């Protein structure tokens, strides 16, 4: 634990000014890598140790469990035991806590259960089956989610009288909310909407929270939605001690409801707010920072700031042009393999705009025997067997949760089919009671034989037994074990005996272990369920694993690596096609967000940054030739080491592989299609050699040579300079095309070529010229 007098001494002047702030609203504009988490944690410690603020009066909120845990550990390092009383959490976790304590004021029980996306969809499908206009279930859920994101209840959503479809969706929204309340359930939207409603409608709760939470801090403020900002304003009041930390240049979640106006207009809401800018970067070289700024500065709606660092200069940014996505992937594999000779693989990342782009890159890395991991894998808690047992546990806590009852009534199989469930549901609706209660009740169910009725009763009895364990406050791991064993789930997996079944059984055993660990920490079953429900998508990344990380640009936010490769830098790939309409028009808001996403990607790199684009790419079922990304045009040439192909050549000892769009040599200053003057000379860092000629067509003498050969052509083709799949050719009549197949060798080889204008043709090699 740091001594009091050293708490702020290690901060730079701007950080110290922000961390020492006590009363009143404050906006901290923190650029990438500027130490914002350090400022937040030191401010918390300063308030407690120097300003004598009670730790329980501090509320710090961020967006992910991982970020909250990291912040909590740092506060503990600074404060020691008092840190445990600081309320440091995520928005949704805060919503759960508020509703469990105060939700009864607005009709929400303390034993609420949280429905995830799949539970929501199940409920909507059931409601649509019960009657009403035909609607697409997912479309209806999107309508509901959008309304909740704007803080609107069913009666507050405005739709046009003539829009019968929207009216039907609004009516379904009302039925959906009523069904949630009958089940004692909330969805993720409710975890924000209902606390806001609570604070608006119940003044005594609002006053109590103002008394308790005197100092509120928010990380990643640029990612807040309107409803999240409204929650913060209700918690702090008009002149409260609200400190927000954010970077408008890293706002990349508009599609999740993030509203950049919260940050850009902060002073309009809080006229007395102070503003502190953190522009000193502790992560990247100045070359990387200048490149990132050159891209993002073109956005109009942004707070001006330019990052700087003590690390003057730095390696030039390498720019590579490939023929197609396979060529790009081989270039990436070569670049990564060379970087692995200087850095641990865990310090290297390959970023792409969409998950689909990873396939070719994975293939190339496997061929090159480069170890890698895909970040953002499936969450442990999202596996089917885990969700099944969680449904049992939620029923144990709240037997009124109909969605959970329907999920597991025949899991494992008990001979309860769809017709039995339909009759059971109808009987429950007619009686106005939850499904489990109707199954427990006496008397027949119309349409069911005694045997089926008995199976439902047995299921309900088991749920009652689990509920008894909860009421008796048994340790959570005992209840989890009973859910797995008493339900017959464990026996069913053992009887199946397959490798997959044993893996699933191992996952269930791990769930028991997790519950036991939570029990050691003094947590009960409800806290365990909350934690599982609120766990975000799996990070999927093992920081200590000796593997290269592959991930989308969105997934890379918050991470950093020594070497970063950004791929797919072409128009309609990155920036994404969604930023354009079918007539070629541009959505300026979407393009601005794409530009910010590029800024995020570039600033993940500490030491080395490589950018890749391809002349053509297979997209949406067809091969497309897109112009290089406009973001490349923003980069100052003096920052780049351009690996550009020379003029097309034919014959001689080798076949060239220049872009079909032009020679690539003799140009510099990117104009969207290529370089206008001589490009900067290659920087010589990292990799290259004769084996790269196939895709880059660079003079080997200009480049540093490493032993990495990704030319997979047969030796006779490499020696004789013969044609190969993937190369581009020119035909006198058919124009420009790309070789798809090669049979034979030399001038008499038979080629299958896909031409841009006339499609696929079969011809002899001597009748075409290679570009």
């Amino acid at each position: 634990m740091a001594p009091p007098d050293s708490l702020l001494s290690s901060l730079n002047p701007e950080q110290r000014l922000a961390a020492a702030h006590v009363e009143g609203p404050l906006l901290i504009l923190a650029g990438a890598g500027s130490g914002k988490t350090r400022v937040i944690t030191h401010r918390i410690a300063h308030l407690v140790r120097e300003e004598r603020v009670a730790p329980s009066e501090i509320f710090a909120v961020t967006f992910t469990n991982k970020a909250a845990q990291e912040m909590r550990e740092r506060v503990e390092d600074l404060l020691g035991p008092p840190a445990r009383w600081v309320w440091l959490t995520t928005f949704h976790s805060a919503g759960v806590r508020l509703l469990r304590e105060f939700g009864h004021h607005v009709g929400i029980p303390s034993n609420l259960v949280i429905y995830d996306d799949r539970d929501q969809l199940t409920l909507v499908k059931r409601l649509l089956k019960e009657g009403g206009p035909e609607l697409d279930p997912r479309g209806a859920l999107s309508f509901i989610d959008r309304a909740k994101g704007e803080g609107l209840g069913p009666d507050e959503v405005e739709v046009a009288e003539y829009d019968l479809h929207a009216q039907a969706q609004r009516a379904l929204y009302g039925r959906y909310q009523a069904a949630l309340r009958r089940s004692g359930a909330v969805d993720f939207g409710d975890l924000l909407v209902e606390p806001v409603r609570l604070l608006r409608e119940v003044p005594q709760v609002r006053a109590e929270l103002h008394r308790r939470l005197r100092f509120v801090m928010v990380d990643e403020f640029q990612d807040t939605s309107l409803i999240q900002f409204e929650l913060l304003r209700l918690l702090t009041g008009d002149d409260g001690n609200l400190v927000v930390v954010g970077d408008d240049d890293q706002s990349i979640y508009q599609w999740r409801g993030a509203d950049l106006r919260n940050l850009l207009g902060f002073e309009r809401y809080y006229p007395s707010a102070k503003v502190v800018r953190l522009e000193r970067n502790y992560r990247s070289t100045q070359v990387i920072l200048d490149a990132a700024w050159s891209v993002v500065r073109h956005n109009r709606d942004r707070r001006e700031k330019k990052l700087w660092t003590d690390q003057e200069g730095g390696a030039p940014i390498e720019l590579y042009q490939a023929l197609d996505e396979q060529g790009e992937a081989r270039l990436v594999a070569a670049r990564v393999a060379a970087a692995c000779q200087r850095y641990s693989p865990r310090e290297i990342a390959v970023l792409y705009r969409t998950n689909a782009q990873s396939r070719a890159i994975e293939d190339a890395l496997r061929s090159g025997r480069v170890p890698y991991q895909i970040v953002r894998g499936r969450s442990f808690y999202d596996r089917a067997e885990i969700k099944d047992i969680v449904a049992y546990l939620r029923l144990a806590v709240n037997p009124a949760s109909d969605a959970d009852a329907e999920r597991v009534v025949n899991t494992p199989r008990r001979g309860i089919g769809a017709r039995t469930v339909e009759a059971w549901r109808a009987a429950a609706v007619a009686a106005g009671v939850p499904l489990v209660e109707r199954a427990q009740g006496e008397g027949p169910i119309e349409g069911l034989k005694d045997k089926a009725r008995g199976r439902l009763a047995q299921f309900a009895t088991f749920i009652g037994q689990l509920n008894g364990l909860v009421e008796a406050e048994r340790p959570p791991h005992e209840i989890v074990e009973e859910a797995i064993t008493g339900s017959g789930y464990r026996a069913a997996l053992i009887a199946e005996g397959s490798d997959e079944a044993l893996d699933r059984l191992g996952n269930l055993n791990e769930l028991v272990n997790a519950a036991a660990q939570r029990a050691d920490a003094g947590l009960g079953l409800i806290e365990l369920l909350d934690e599982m429900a609120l766990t975000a998508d799996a990070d999927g990344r093992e920081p200590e694993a000796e593997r290269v990380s592959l991930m989308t640009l969105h997934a890379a936010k918050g991470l950093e690596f020594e070497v970063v490769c950004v791929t797919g830098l072409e128009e309609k790939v990155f920036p994404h096609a969604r930023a354009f309409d079918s007539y070629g028009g541009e959505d300026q808001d979407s393009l601005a967000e794409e530009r910010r996403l590029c800024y995020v990607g570039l600033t993940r790199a500490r030491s080395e940054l490589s950018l890749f684009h391809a002349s053509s790419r297979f997209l949406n079922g067809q091969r497309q030739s897109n112009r290089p990304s406009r973001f490349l045009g923003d980069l100052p040439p003096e920052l780049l080491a351009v690996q550009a192909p020379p003029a097309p050549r034919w014959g001689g000892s080798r076949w060239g592989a220049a872009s079909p769009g032009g020679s690539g040599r003799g140009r510099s200053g990117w104009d969207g299609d290529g370089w206008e003057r001589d490009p900067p000379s290659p920087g010589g860092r990292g990799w290259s050699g004769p084996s790269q000629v196939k895709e880059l067509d660079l003079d080997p003498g200009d480049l540093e040579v490493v032993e990495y050969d990704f030319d997979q052509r047969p030796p006779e083709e490499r020696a004789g300079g013969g044609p190969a799949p993937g190369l581009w050719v020119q035909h006198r009549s058919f124009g420009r095309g790309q070789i798809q197949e090669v049979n034979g060798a030399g001038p008499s080889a038979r080629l299958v070529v896909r031409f841009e204008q006339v499609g696929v043709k079969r011809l002899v090699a001597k009748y075409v010229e290679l570009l």
Side-chain angles (χ1 to χ4, degrees):
M1 184 176 68
D5 59 353
S6 69
L7 282 176
L8 303 186
S9 61
S10 62
L11 305 182
N12 68 39
E14 292 76 24
Q15 291 175 333
R16 198 155 49 242
L17 180 63
H21 178 85
V22 179
E23 299 285 346
L26 172 68
L27 169 62
I28 304 172
L29 293 171
S34 62
K36 64 181 179 63
T37 303
R38 184 177 178 83
V39 169
I40 295 173
T41 55
H42 278 69
R43 180 171 186 262
I44 292 173
H46 177 76
L47 287 173
V48 174
R49 297 186 64 88
E50 303 298 317
E51 303 297 335
R52 301 301 185 221
V53 172
S56 59
E57 293 179 325
I58 300 172
F59 173 47
V61 61
T62 187
F63 277 82
T64 67
N65 294 295
K66 179 181 176 182
Q69 180 60 31
E70 178 186 350
M71 201 175 295
R72 186 176 295 111
E73 291 171 356
R74 292 201 192 184
V75 172
E76 289 175 352
D77 288 341
L78 292 169
L79 277 182
R84 73 182 65 175
W85 300 107
V86 176
W87 188 9
L88 209 163
T89 186
T90 65
F91 274 102
H92 288 96
S93 295
V96 173
R97 179 167 165 178
L98 291 173
L99 291 179
R100 289 208 186 278
E101 184 172 357
F102 301 109
H104 61 277
H105 290 285
V106 288
I108 296 176
S110 60
N111 68 337
L112 63 89
V113 295
I114 304 167
Y115 279 9
D116 63 14
D117 294 347
R118 191 176 303 177
D119 301 322
Q120 289 179 268
L121 188 60
T122 298
L123 176 56
V124 166
K125 287 180 177 179
R126 176 167 66 81
L127 293 173
L128 291 174
K129 189 177 292 187
E130 290 175 359
E134 288 190 11
L135 293 171
D136 172 58
R138 296 187 185 276
L141 264 181
S142 294
F143 177 91
I144 294 169
D145 289 341
R146 284 195 303 271
K148 291 188 177 185
E150 297 173 11
L152 301 175
D155 298 331
E156 298 168 312
V157 179
E158 295 183 2
V159 297
E161 292 185 8
Y162 62 81
D163 193 341
L164 299 181
H165 184 261
Q167 288 186 18
Q169 288 180 318
R170 181 174 62 181
L172 180 66
Y173 181 12
R175 295 170 57 202
Y176 170 86
Q177 284 300 104
L180 284 178
R181 294 299 167 265
R182 286 195 302 270
S183 297
V186 295
D187 61 21
F188 274 83
D190 288 333
L191 296 181
L192 299 174
V193 172
E194 294 301 333
V196 166
R197 182 164 73 93
L198 169 70
L199 292 171
R200 283 175 178 167
E201 296 181 1
V202 189
Q204 64 268 32
V205 172
R206 189 167 65 248
E208 169 66 13
L209 290 171
H210 286 175
R211 184 188 64 78
R212 285 194 203 176
L213 308 176
R214 292 178 52 214
F215 297 90
V216 177
M217 283 177 274
V218 187
D219 190 18
E220 304 288 4
F221 185 65
Q222 76 278 352
D223 294 332
T224 54
S225 65
L226 291 175
I227 193 68
Q228 286 167 333
F229 192 21
E230 180 65 12
L231 177 61
L232 294 170
R233 294 176 65 192
L234 287 166
L235 284 172
T236 57
D238 293 337
D239 297 312
N241 295 320
L242 176 62
V243 174
V244 300
V245 185
D247 180 8
D248 49 309
D249 289 337
Q250 296 188 75
S251 177
I252 59 173
Y253 293 118
Q254 181 179 350
W255 50 280
R256 286 187 186 175
D259 197 318
L260 189 54
R261 292 174 296 179
N262 293 344
L263 186 148
L264 295 177
F266 186 75
E267 293 100 311
R268 290 200 300 272
Y269 296 105
Y270 295 95
S272 63
K274 296 180 180 179
V275 179
V276 175
R277 285 177 168 80
L278 304 182
E279 296 177 294
R280 183 176 180 179
N281 178 275
Y282 293 91
R283 176 189 303 159
S284 306
T285 66
Q286 192 64 54
V287 167
I288 293 169
L289 297 179
D290 288 347
W293 178 79
S294 71
V295 171
V296 81
R297 71 185 180 90
H298 292 283
N299 279 352
R300 291 172 297 184
D301 294 327
R302 66 181 293 268
R303 301 261 189 159
E304 182 51 44
K305 55 190 166 305
K306 186 174 183 181
L307 298 179
W308 62 275
T309 179
D310 289 336
Q311 302 181 59
E312 295 182 2
I317 297 166
E318 297 178 342
L319 176 60
Y320 298 101
Q321 177 176 327
L323 188 67
D324 53 23
E325 68 271 24
Q326 282 81 27
E328 177 189 60
R330 290 193 291 271
L331 292 177
V332 170
R335 177 69 180 90
V336 166
C340 286
Q341 298 179 25
R342 301 188 307 283
Y343 299 104
S344 163
R346 67 172 178 266
E347 292 292 350
I348 304 168
V350 179
L351 311 182
Y352 34 79
R353 179 61 181 83
T354 61
N355 282 302
Q357 291 170 246
S358 74
R359 183 194 58 79
I361 298 171
E362 288 186 69
D363 289 346
L365 291 176
R366 282 196 298 268
S367 296
R369 297 183 180 179
V370 177
Y372 69 90
Q373 59 180 331
I374 299 290
V375 177
R376 300 294 186 193
R378 187 169 55 155
S379 167
F380 173 80
Y381 297 117
D382 197 40
R383 291 172 169 86
E385 62 273 16
I386 301 298
K387 293 181 75 67
D388 289 339
I389 299 305
V390 167
Y392 277 109
L393 298 174
R394 296 197 308 193
L395 283 169
V397 171
N398 181 0
S401 180
D402 285 352
D404 290 310
E406 287 198 41
R407 179 183 180 98
V408 295
V409 68
N410 196 42
T411 305
R413 295 186 181 279
R414 302 184 176 90
I416 299 175
R419 291 183 181 179
T420 298
V421 172
E422 287 182 12
W424 177 35
R425 185 190 305 123
V429 170
V433 298
L435 290 171
V436 171
E437 184 176 339
R438 183 63 186 90
Q440 287 172 330
E442 297 181 357
I445 293 178
E446 184 178 350
L448 292 187
K449 296 180 179 180
D450 290 344
K451 190 174 182 179
R453 178 72 181 84
R455 289 170 178 161
L456 288 176
Q458 289 175 352
F459 169 73
T461 298
F462 176 63
I463 299 303
Q465 292 170 354
L466 288 179
N467 183 249
L469 295 178
V470 173
E471 294 293 333
E473 298 184 352
R474 300 301 302 164
H477 56 285
E478 290 187 13
I479 305 174
V480 173
E481 179 58 48
E482 179 59 24
I484 297 170
T485 304
S487 65
Y489 213 109
R490 184 182 296 280
L493 291 176
I494 292 173
E496 181 180 331
S498 65
D499 290 342
E500 180 183 354
L502 295 178
D503 285 343
R504 295 173 69 191
L505 189 58
N507 290 334
L508 294 180
N509 291 334
E510 183 58 32
L511 181 61
V512 176
N513 294 338
Q517 291 171 358
R518 302 316 188 274
D520 291 342
L523 302 180
L525 182 62
I526 289 178
E527 289 82 6
L528 174 65
L529 290 173
D530 286 348
E531 184 178 305
M532 289 190 289
L534 297 170
T535 297
D537 291 341
D539 184 3
R541 177 173 177 258
E542 299 176 34
E544 300 306 316
E546 290 297 330
R547 289 179 286 178
V548 174
S549 294
L550 274 61
M551 69 192 83
T552 65
L553 286 139
H554 282 97
K557 190 169 182 292
L559 303 177
E560 58 184 79
F561 304 87
E562 289 294 337
V563 180
V564 169
C565 299
V566 181
T567 63
L569 278 157
E570 302 121 41
E571 294 288 285
K572 298 189 177 180
V573 178
F574 188 30
H576 195 276
R578 283 194 292 267
F580 306 88
D581 62 31
S582 56
Y583 301 100
E586 299 178 349
D587 182 335
Q588 294 304 318
D589 287 342
S590 295
L591 282 173
E593 180 146 331
E594 293 289 303
R595 196 175 289 279
R596 293 191 292 268
L597 186 59
C598 185
Y599 173 86
V600 167
L602 301 187
T603 54
R604 298 311 93 195
R606 289 195 289 262
S607 301
E608 299 180 20
L609 177 63
S610 297
L611 310 178
F612 297 79
H613 70 103
S615 298
S616 73
R617 188 178 298 273
F618 204 75
L619 293 170
N620 302 319
Q622 59 183 352
R623 182 156 296 282
Q624 299 179 13
S625 296
N626 294 321
R627 298 174 63 185
S629 171
R630 66 191 63 201
F631 305 148
L632 297 177
D634 297 333
L635 301 176
E638 62 269 17
L639 301 181
L640 302 175
V642 182
Q643 316 295 348
R649 62 180 70 195
W650 161 255
S653 62
R654 61 177 178 167
W655 290 53
S659 161
S663 69
R665 181 70 78 183
R667 296 183 290 181
S668 183
W670 202 272
D671 64 0
D673 289 308
W675 295 92
E676 296 174 342
R677 298 180 302 280
D678 286 338
S681 62
R685 282 186 66 89
W687 70 279
S688 285
S691 62
Q692 270 74 43
V693 166
K694 178 174 180 289
E695 291 299 334
L696 287 185
D697 205 5
L698 293 165
D699 294 328
D702 293 342
L703 303 167
E704 177 186 353
V705 177
V706 299
E707 294 181 1
Y708 187 91
D709 186 2
F710 63 87
D711 189 340
Q712 301 298 317
R713 289 179 294 167
E716 64 271 15
E717 286 191 10
R718 285 195 260 181
L727 301 183
W728 286 81
V729 297
Q730 182 76 30
H731 187 274
R732 180 179 303 174
S733 301
F734 302 144
R736 198 162 50 228
Q738 187 181 39
I739 299 174
Q740 307 292 302
E741 296 179 16
V742 178
N743 294 298
S748 299
R750 295 186 177 276
L751 312 180
V752 177
V753 182
R754 181 180 295 277
F755 290 95
E756 292 178 333
Q757 303 298 325
V758 298
V760 175
K761 298 290 182 181
R762 299 177 184 272
L763 36 81
V764 177
K766 64 183 178 180
Y767 295 116
V768 297
E769 292 182 352
L770 189 71
L771 293 176

